[in-house]
Amino acid sequence: MTWDWSAVGDFMPQFRNGLLITLQALVLGSLISFALGLVWALLMRTPSRWVRWPVGVVTEFVRNTPLLVQLFFLFYVLPEWGVTFSALTTGVVAIGLHYSTYTMQVYRAGIEAVPAGQWEAATALNLPRTRTWTAVVLPQAIRRVVPALGNYVISMLKDTPLLMAITVLEMLGEARLFSQEHFQFTEPLTVIGVAFILISYPASLLMRALERRLVR
């Protein structure tokens, strides 16, 4: 087996397209998971069990079923009910929804870690409930959970190849297409592997540095 640099050059245009799609899915999926996870966490703290129970059922179901099954359901089943999205939009929504059930637990842990004295001080100052959450609780909770949220971003990056199953040509999808067209597998798959390392490893180092900074 010999390494063919010309194959690498031929693959580069498709690789750039796949990288753009991968990063787009990662960024948008992360934003959805962070926002929706916070919503789930806040709803689970409401006094009404008629709110907590449905949220708990939905999040447990999503967390305990494979992301690939959810991708297939959203992409193939929803159109039968008249709900149709593009493949990329479906993938972004699926990733965001799936990981929001994990970020919910992160937010919940961060909220519970806020010292009781902070809640008592807000009550003593007669702060409105909304003000208590936005000015006292959430800033402290989110500061504590940023590193853990960053770890889930890396996990989402490593799950983006699953989007290939619903015809999204992210990095691995483009590599597979190139390999089938040119009968060359080593070069494109190696490029993809290196790309994932170059993205995920520096990101993990950044998360560690951020964690050390935040715990000071």
Side-chain angles (χ1 to χ4, degrees):
M1 182 186 68
T2 58
W3 181 265
D4 187 354
W5 285 105
S6 64
V8 176
D10 293 339
F11 175 58
M12 281 298 104
Q14 289 179 247
F15 168 73
R16 286 192 290 268
N17 292 336
L19 176 62
L20 180 62
I21 295 298
T22 296
L23 294 178
Q24 186 176 352
L26 175 64
V27 172
L28 295 177
S30 297
L31 293 176
I32 292 175
S33 71
F34 294 163
L36 191 55
L38 181 58
V39 172
W40 295 142
L42 294 177
L43 290 177
M44 287 297 291
R45 294 185 63 87
T46 58
S48 174
R49 65 177 181 175
W50 299 108
V51 174
R52 296 196 311 271
W53 186 82
V55 171
V57 170
V58 170
T59 54
E60 283 296 323
F61 176 81
V62 172
R63 185 165 56 247
N64 289 285
T65 53
L67 175 57
L68 186 59
V69 173
Q70 295 165 17
L71 283 167
F72 281 152
F73 182 88
L74 294 177
F75 190 67
Y76 293 108
V77 177
L78 287 187
E80 296 183 2
W81 298 348
V83 181
T84 304
F85 301 108
S86 68
L88 179 58
T89 300
T90 300
V92 167
V93 170
I95 289 177
L97 176 62
H98 184 79
Y99 276 93
S100 71
T101 61
Y102 293 96
T103 59
M104 175 192 75
Q105 300 296 343
V106 174
Y107 284 123
R108 186 163 67 175
I111 292 170
E112 292 175 353
V114 175
Q118 299 292 316
W119 297 88
E120 294 169 359
T123 302
L125 292 172
N126 199 28
L127 292 180
R129 185 173 180 82
T130 302
R131 180 69 174 169
T132 299
W133 277 100
T134 58
V136 179
V137 177
L138 289 182
Q140 297 183 63
I142 292 176
R143 182 174 180 270
R144 296 169 186 270
V145 303
V146 165
L149 294 177
N151 291 333
Y152 280 117
V153 172
I154 297 173
S155 296
M156 280 185 265
L157 170 67
K158 292 187 287 187
D159 274 346
T160 54
L162 293 176
L163 301 186
M164 180 178 60
I166 58 170
T167 72
V168 176
L169 290 178
E170 40 63 63
M171 287 195 294
L172 184 60
E174 290 286 8
R176 181 170 179 266
L177 181 62
F178 180 88
S179 299
Q180 291 174 339
E181 291 175 346
H182 297 84
F183 301 100
Q184 292 175 299
F185 296 87
T186 302
E187 292 81 6
L189 292 177
T190 301
V191 169
I192 296 305
V194 171
F196 274 108
I197 293 174
L198 291 178
I199 297 173
S200 61
Y201 185 65
S204 66
L205 294 179
L206 178 62
M207 289 302 107
R208 293 175 194 171
L210 183 60
E211 182 174 9
R212 288 193 297 268
R213 182 178 180 85
L214 291 177
V215 297
R216 290 177 182 176

